[in-house]
Amino acid sequence: MQVLGLETSCDETGVALFDTERGIVAQALHSQIELHAVYGGVVPEIASRDHIRRLLPLVREVLNEAGTEHPDAIAYTAGPGLVGALMVAGGLANGLALAWDCPVIPVHHMEGHLLAVMLEDDPPAYPFLALLVSGGHTMLVSVSALGDYRVLGSTLDDAVGEAFDKTAKLLGLEYPGGPALAQLATAGAEDAYRFPRPMLNKEGLDFSFSGLKTAVMLVVRKARADGEIEAVRADIAASFQRAAIDTLVAKTLRAAKSEKLDRVVVAGGVGANQLLRTELAARFSGRVCYPRPDLCTDNGAMIALAGAMRLADGEKADNIQALARWSLETLARPQTTSPDYS
Ligand code: KG4
Ligand code: ZN
């Protein structure tokens, strides 16, 4: 079965064709980063309009590359995300499904992220712990099976990627600043400033990054006033990164221990962070799995895969869904065991 996956929940238009026998057959992605960079963050209306411009040509490109006239099913991200942006894939998916007379399936964006690792060779078996770290989410999820998710902790304010982006902006780096900040940090001393490790001294598995952001802001302000900012930018970046990553790693270890899980899957854009990878490898005794970098960030393939797994269990929907907020825990657990698509 071939499933077309459409992703338009934020600032990336992602399309992929996934074959349940052959894996990813073709995929295409258009990033809107340049469009939003001048504003320092994603502008929802601009995002929706660009998805409208890009989505259909990308679908054509993927189907041409795959040599497929039309797929057997269509999966689209139905939420959580920017509602106007979500409506673009939702509308097109449902229109094409009518034209092609095929099933259409709404997919939870975070389920897509946490299943993306199943597209890799030797994917982890259930159960595992998922650390989902992106520009919009910071979550620890206990994954027992497809659709059986327990959110153990999430952020009370900023997502970790957002904290990277806002700190990068304070340091004069372009949006999205995460990768640039990580690069700048390589030239700095991570013990130059002792920034707070938010929520580490509190019980539980929730995160909070706004206090860390404020602490960095105060240091940046003082450095600017003292005319020293150029000399300490890299030190601030390195010290911030160390505090953020220490927090993620400590909570991940805490969750794995309390849930007695010896496999961790890391997904979402911040999963590309090298310090996070090194620290988890050094401090976690179990197995840590990552999707390859282009499957870590937003993409159509993870949506196609999640749709294929759910369709295999007989799920379908006949109305367009676009949900700004959508709890991962409300997803149903299918009745049958899903096939292995690795
Ligand atoms: O998953 P993603 O592509 O999109 C969302 O669903 O948000 O994640 C993007 C986020 C951005 O905040 C970006 O700055 C961050 O991931 N990011 C990084 C790195 N690469 C991307 N943050 C820290 N270090 C990196 N190397
Ligand atoms: Zn995402």
Side-chain angles (χ1 to χ4, degrees):
M1 182 172 64
Q2 295 200 323
V3 180
L4 182 70
L6 309 181
E7 157 62 42
T8 62
S9 67
C10 190
D11 59 350
E12 249 125 23
T13 318
V15 178
L17 189 72
F18 172 75
D19 186 311
T20 50
E21 304 294 322
R22 293 154 58 207
I24 301 171
V25 183
Q27 57 178 329
L29 186 86
H30 179 264
S31 168
Q32 301 178 351
I33 282 177
E34 276 182 17
L35 276 183
H36 300 293
V38 283
Y39 302 99
V42 178
V43 183
E45 180 61 21
I46 293 176
S48 314
R49 287 171 186 229
D50 198 58
H51 287 308
I52 291 171
R53 265 194 299 271
R54 306 284 174 183
L55 188 59
L56 197 50
L58 287 185
V59 168
R60 282 206 189 97
E61 185 184 321
V62 163
L63 293 181
N64 279 343
E65 194 189 323
T68 303
E69 236 164 69
H70 65 75
D72 302 304
I74 307 173
Y76 68 96
T77 304
L82 304 170
V83 169
L86 291 166
M87 287 298 289
V88 178
L92 186 67
N94 281 269
L96 289 176
L98 267 181
W100 292 337
D101 191 22
C102 70
V104 59
I105 189 104
V107 169
H108 192 294
H109 182 76
M110 301 314 286
E111 180 175 54
H113 273 306
L114 69 82
L115 293 176
V117 74
M118 302 294 180
L119 290 162
E120 300 297 352
D121 295 337
D122 192 20
Y126 299 115
F128 58 79
L129 176 71
L131 172 67
L132 303 178
V133 278
S134 69
H137 297 271
T138 310
M139 287 173 122
L140 278 164
V141 186
S142 169
V143 180
S144 303
L146 176 69
D148 193 351
Y149 311 127
R150 204 150 40 82
V151 177
L152 306 170
S154 52
T155 184
L156 303 178
D157 38 57
D158 291 351
V160 63
E162 199 178 350
F164 267 88
D165 294 342
K166 287 179 177 170
T167 302
K169 195 172 175 184
L170 280 174
L171 295 173
L173 301 168
E174 277 212 348
Y175 171 84
L181 187 140
Q183 178 59 34
L184 179 62
T186 58
E190 58 184 32
D191 55 0
Y193 299 91
R194 177 78 195 167
F195 289 130
R197 269 70 174 153
M199 315 275 290
L200 271 198
N201 50 3
K202 285 199 187 148
E203 277 191 25
L205 297 166
D206 284 332
F207 300 90
S208 162
F209 289 102
S210 66
L212 172 59
K213 184 188 65 190
T214 307
V216 174
M217 192 179 72
L218 295 175
V219 167
V220 170
R221 221 180 253 171
K222 181 165 185 318
R224 280 198 202 288
D226 297 346
E228 284 177 350
I229 188 68
E230 283 311 316
V232 297
R233 271 171 91 231
D235 288 346
I236 295 173
S239 303
F240 161 81
Q241 177 174 248
R242 169 53 71 176
I245 298 300
D246 270 358
T247 308
L248 291 180
V249 173
K251 295 260 167 168
T252 304
L253 298 184
R254 197 184 282 181
K257 193 172 172 198
S258 73
E259 295 293 307
K260 300 189 176 54
L261 291 170
D262 61 1
R263 286 178 288 265
V264 173
V265 167
V266 182
V270 185
N273 186 276
Q274 201 47 52
L275 183 64
L276 174 64
R277 290 178 174 233
T278 314
E279 285 296 299
L280 274 178
R283 292 168 58 188
F284 182 59
S285 57
R287 180 173 172 211
V288 188
C289 308
Y290 301 88
R292 73 197 86 149
D294 60 326
L295 295 178
C296 238
T297 50
D298 289 354
N299 64 85
M302 68 183 192
I303 303 305
L305 170 79
M309 290 173 103
R310 290 196 159 269
L311 271 165
D313 292 297
E315 186 172 317
K316 62 173 185 291
D318 58 3
N319 61 340
I320 303 175
Q321 287 187 31
L323 307 166
R325 291 172 185 275
W326 185 8
S327 162
L328 190 62
E329 289 175 318
T330 61
L331 296 183
R333 183 174 175 175
Q335 299 308 305
T336 52
T337 314
S338 293
D340 176 5
Y341 292 132
S342 59

